[in-house]
Amino acid sequence: MSIVEQSNLQLKKSGETDLTGIVKNLARKAGGGPATVAPGIAKRIVEELNFSGQRKVKKARVAQNLARLTGGTWEPHVSILIFCELPDGSLVLINGQHRCCAIVEFGVPVQTKIDIIPARDNDHVRSLYAKYDGQESVRTQTELVKASGLAEAFEIKTRTAEMLIKAVPIIINGMEPNTRLSGKEHLNQFSFRLESAMPWEREAQEFDEIVATADQHIRRYLLRAGTMAVALYTLRHCRKEALEFWSGVALNDGLRKTDPRARLIADFAVRSLVSGATRQSVQQSALAWNAFFEGRELKIIKCIEGAEIVIAGTPMRKGGAK
């Protein structure tokens, strides 16, 4: 029996005439347990109900799931297809496209759970999709950011949006990049990072425009989480001075040798950030900024391990989270 014939047969058995109806019917009849999904239905789910921001199908992931099917290690209660249901009754697959593709290649009906989660709107769908970013997920930061629509919403480049997601938790954590300590696990959750980034739209837009004026070498250093955290924070609290400081770094045009912006550029080039990389990027940016804000010349940037992070002209002028 062909995949199309299997799909039509399952539609006929379900008494439904549309794909959304059959998926709901399968979930309802399963009563919270595994449902039987035919290859034809799995194929149509990927083609018709897949989340528009989904990552591209990866052959290796499909092969892993197919190996579980052919090897008898497929677990129907663990292998779940997760859909969002919008107010109009439509369904969107937010997790399980690789499992669906494996079912198609397997060629026979497969037992798998179907979960349907209510969603308020498309923004809620994107938020729910982003929650499936645990260690077991192979979604990259770029894929999650693209799916979130953050870059489009803020009208910034995808790379800037990626760094924004990493920089904001550093700010929340008192300019300390170590967010993996006990009690701070939430700082690493993509959904938390995305929500926390929302109030930083203006600063992100201004920094994105500044970075666009830099050459490739300087741009690479500016687009680091630690550097961007300092940039965003200073743009919020000392906008006029920060625009001058960061624009000067980006343009690197005729700066005196002892200008703090020139020293920061030089430090970008010579500092090894192999150990404690992100904290050093916070420190070097903060030290250069402090000298600039206070009108001091700067001959050398000295990052001291464990030293308090101070950012002049801001609530963090005495160090620590404010």
Side-chain angles (χ1 to χ4, degrees):
M1 184 182 295
S2 70
I3 287 178
V4 173
E5 290 171 333
Q6 290 177 9
S7 175
N8 291 336
L9 179 61
Q10 194 159 17
L11 284 167
K12 183 177 180 181
K13 286 181 178 179
S14 71
E16 298 285 351
T17 58
D18 67 287
L19 183 59
T20 296
I22 189 175
V23 171
K24 291 180 180 179
N25 193 45
L26 286 172
R28 184 170 55 251
K29 287 184 175 180
T36 301
V37 177
I41 296 301
K43 184 174 187 293
R44 288 186 59 191
I45 286 172
V46 174
E47 292 175 347
E48 301 174 30
L49 302 183
N50 212 1
F51 173 52
S52 60
Q54 265 282 15
R55 50 189 165 155
K56 293 181 180 179
V57 173
K58 296 180 179 178
K59 293 181 180 179
R61 287 287 288 170
V62 176
Q64 288 174 354
N65 284 287
L66 184 59
R68 295 188 183 102
L69 288 168
T70 57
T73 58
W74 178 272
E75 294 289 348
H77 289 275
V78 176
S79 302
I80 307 174
L81 306 183
I82 302 176
F83 297 84
C84 285
E85 183 176 13
L86 290 161
D88 64 2
S90 61
L91 295 180
V92 181
L93 179 72
I94 61 169
N95 192 273
Q97 70 165 344
H98 291 99
R99 287 185 279 278
C100 282
C101 291
I103 293 171
V104 174
E105 291 198 23
F106 192 50
V108 297
V110 170
Q111 289 271 300
T112 184
K113 280 195 69 177
I114 296 175
D115 282 355
I116 299 177
I117 305 171
R120 296 184 297 273
D121 50 32
N122 287 323
D123 287 340
H124 192 199
V125 172
R126 283 193 288 269
S127 175
L128 290 168
Y129 172 84
K131 290 183 184 297
Y132 292 91
D133 66 332
Q135 290 183 344
E136 75 283 355
S137 174
V138 296
R139 292 172 185 157
T140 66
Q141 183 85 5
T142 301
E143 288 167 339
L144 286 166
V145 169
K146 285 182 177 179
S148 74
L150 179 64
E152 290 79 7
F154 281 13
E155 297 183 343
I156 58 178
K157 294 179 179 61
T158 299
R159 181 61 177 166
T160 308
E162 287 182 55
M163 287 301 105
L164 174 64
I165 291 294
K166 294 181 178 181
V168 169
I170 294 174
I171 297 173
I172 295 172
N173 200 38
M175 288 297 171
E176 292 293 343
N178 191 351
T179 58
R180 300 191 179 279
L181 299 176
S182 177
K184 298 183 178 181
E185 294 85 356
H186 64 287
L187 294 173
N188 297 308
Q189 296 173 359
F190 184 81
S191 55
F192 175 84
R193 292 180 174 218
L194 181 62
E195 183 178 353
S196 300
M198 290 301 141
W200 294 88
E201 180 176 2
R202 176 184 64 80
E203 294 83 0
Q205 289 174 341
E206 290 178 341
F207 190 62
D208 185 65
E209 292 175 3
I210 289 169
V211 170
T213 66
D215 64 30
Q216 186 174 359
H217 175 72
I218 294 178
R219 187 184 305 130
R220 178 164 61 92
Y221 290 106
L222 289 174
L223 285 174
R224 296 181 306 181
T227 305
M228 187 171 180
V230 177
L232 293 173
Y233 198 67
T234 54
L235 282 165
R236 169 158 295 186
H237 295 287
C238 305
R239 183 170 179 266
K240 180 181 177 181
E241 295 86 351
L243 286 172
E244 183 181 355
F245 177 81
W246 294 106
S247 295
V249 173
L251 292 171
N252 189 24
D253 185 16
L255 297 173
R256 302 187 320 276
K257 187 176 180 180
T258 55
D259 187 306
R261 295 167 294 182
R263 287 297 87 210
L264 180 58
I265 294 167
D267 206 64
F268 282 157
V270 301
R271 182 174 299 277
S272 172
L273 296 179
V274 175
S275 176
T278 306
R279 196 176 199 276
Q280 285 192 43
S281 68
V282 171
Q283 282 184 302
Q284 66 179 178
S285 299
L287 290 169
W289 160 262
N290 291 344
F292 177 84
F293 185 82
E294 294 165 2
R296 296 185 283 109
E297 292 188 341
L298 189 63
K299 295 181 180 180
I300 188 172
I301 293 177
K302 188 175 182 180
C303 295
I304 301 174
E305 185 176 354
E308 191 176 41
I309 302 294
V310 175
I311 303 179
T314 78
M316 213 173 291
R317 63 187 178 278
K318 295 182 180 180
K322 296 291 188 297

